[in-house]
Amino acid sequence: PFLPQLHLALHDILVQQGPAVHKNISLLAPRALLASRNKLHTTRGALWCTRADIMRVLTSLLATTAAAWTVDKMNRPQGRVADPDGLLKNPDAIEDALARLATKHVEWPPNSPCATTNVDGVEAVVVVVTHLRGVHLKQEDDEKRRRAGEFARGLHDKWGVGSKKCSNGVLIVIDYGDRAFYLSTGDGVRAGGLLSDARATRALEASAPYLRSGAIDEGVLKTIKKVDAFLARGPPTWSEWLPPVLSH
């Protein structure tokens, strides 16, 4: 009866986690399953060893699953950078860049909730992880963006990033292992196009070449620099709203 239970366990993990654990299953599970098939009708001691082998496989797979970050697992850092997997080489440089955004003077668009307050600057937080639950390397880009966005917006709300007066928060999420990222914005910085979806996408795309080469710190700093530039530029002009062909 142990083998059917194993098959069900592997099936459940594969359904829940998809391609993220498929490689581990394909590399480790066949050996354990073959051993169990050969030893199933032998001595109790042999069967016990087989179970131990299989449990080691399951332990490895479950460890992979446990390492996937969810909104519930993430605790807000004391500073502005969350790097639970230790991927960043110089988080202090990123902290400094984010601190400059917090003190930057921003000309709020008239329709921004921040325009009628004394709030200045943008409260930005960066999250860098190896793997997000539900995001997988082989997913289509739109699906990865959707799932990374669900995580980013959920964490944005959980941590309350931004002023309560006008929601001037920005949360940048980098899922390095799955090549996914997302920039979540509060109403205060999104209104009037200050950090519109198009601008947020361009800010993230600035990091892509660096992330592909493994230069995570540089990639994050490029995105922050792009956000800073958009804030300095102010709301988009008409030419920025037009398609590239029409704006030239």
Side-chain angles (χ1 to χ4, degrees), residues 48 147-148:
W48 174 259
R147 290 175 178 266

Side-chain angles (χ1 to χ4, degrees), residues 47-227:
L47 183 57
W48 174 259
C49 291
T50 299
R51 289 188 177 185
D53 290 339
I54 294 173
M55 290 309 298
R56 279 196 291 270
V57 174
L58 289 177
T59 300
S60 175
L61 296 176
L62 291 173
T64 301
T65 302
W69 290 97
T70 64
V71 171
D72 291 339
K73 288 183 180 180
M74 292 292 300
N75 295 318
R76 184 164 186 174
Q78 291 184 348
R80 297 181 173 92
V81 177
D83 179 26
D85 298 326
L87 297 175
L88 297 173
K89 295 179 181 178
N90 188 9
D92 289 343
I94 297 172
E95 288 276 6
D96 291 343
L98 296 173
R100 288 192 291 272
L101 285 183
T103 58
K104 183 181 183 66
H105 174 65
V106 179
E107 291 288 346
W108 302 110
N111 58 339
S112 168
C114 298
T116 57
T117 70
N118 59 356
V119 172
D120 209 1
V122 168
E123 182 183 339
V125 176
V126 167
V127 178
V128 181
V129 297
T130 302
H131 176 54
L132 293 176
R133 177 71 59 84
V135 182
H136 310 302
L137 182 61
K138 294 184 180 181
Q139 285 173 334
E140 295 293 330
D141 288 344
D142 287 346
E143 180 65 9
K144 283 198 286 189
R145 190 179 300 112
R146 183 184 71 81
R147 290 175 178 266
E150 289 175 352
F151 173 87
R153 290 189 297 271
L155 197 61
H156 195 146
D157 292 341
K158 175 186 175 182
W159 287 356
V161 179
S163 168
K164 292 183 178 180
K165 293 181 179 180
C166 69
S167 190
N168 66 331
V170 171
L171 183 73
I172 301 169
V173 172
I174 307 288
D175 176 349
Y176 179 66
D178 301 305
R179 298 181 184 178
F181 44 36
Y182 195 87
L183 195 156
S184 173
T185 55
D187 291 340
V189 291
R190 189 169 55 252
L194 194 60
L195 274 182
S196 62
D197 290 345
R199 283 185 166 187
T201 298
R202 290 170 61 187
L204 288 171
E205 288 175 347
S207 71
Y210 299 90
L211 296 177
R212 281 195 293 268
S213 65
I216 304 175
D217 295 63
E218 289 80 356
V220 173
L221 289 170
K222 285 293 182 181
T223 290
I224 296 172
K225 184 177 180 180
K226 199 73 173 177
V227 168

